[in-house]
Amino acid sequence: MNCLFCKIIAGDIPSAKVYEDDLVYAFRDIEPQAPVHILIIPKEHISSANELTDENASIVGHIFAVAAKIAKDEGIADGGYRIVNNCGDDGGQTVKHLHFHMLGGRSLAWPPG
Ligand code: AMP
Ligand code: ZN
């Protein structure tokens, strides 16, 4: 499949891996927007949050549990962080493989633009 993140999971495109298990893969964003900027993605190709159903949505809970682990490892659990999913064109989604941005290590503005 011609999907950038599927290629990263397969190891065909290099990435800075932070965490991996049977279900998810996490790696550093190539254009970090904060001192910690990690992408957490399901190994299963799901195009966007629009494709989540009762059958596959349990992966999202697992992703948040993995995020909590990563936050501790990265030293941002106490300071806090933001987890973001961009969905579709108006949401700013550029890679059509479901992913969650984990941003931390600095104070983040709200609301986003
Ligand atoms: P989004 O705009 O929500 O679809 O986010 C896509 C993210 O993927 C952006 O933050 C990009 O910087 C990031 N990205 C694109 N290509 C790569 C890559 N090869 N390795 C790591 N991150 C990437
Ligand atoms: Zn994919």
Side-chain angles (χ1 to χ4, degrees), residues 1-17:
M1 180 184 301
N2 194 24
C3 168
L4 175 66
F5 286 175
C6 281
K7 287 178 187 161
I8 283 179
I9 292 163
D12 295 340
I13 291 175
S15 65
K17 178 166 90 170

Side-chain angles (χ1 to χ4, degrees), residues 91-108:
Q93 182 181 7
T94 58
V95 179
K96 309 300 187 203
H97 180 127
L98 181 67
H99 54 279
F100 292 82
H101 297 256
M102 175 172 222
L103 297 148
R106 68 170 170 85
S107 181
L108 299 163

Side-chain angles (χ1 to χ4, degrees), residues 12 23 25 32 34 39 50 58 67 74 77 79 82 100 107 113:
D12 295 340
L23 297 172
Y25 189 81
L39 300 173
N50 275 338
S58 61
E74 295 286 322
R82 185 172 296 161
F100 292 82
S107 181

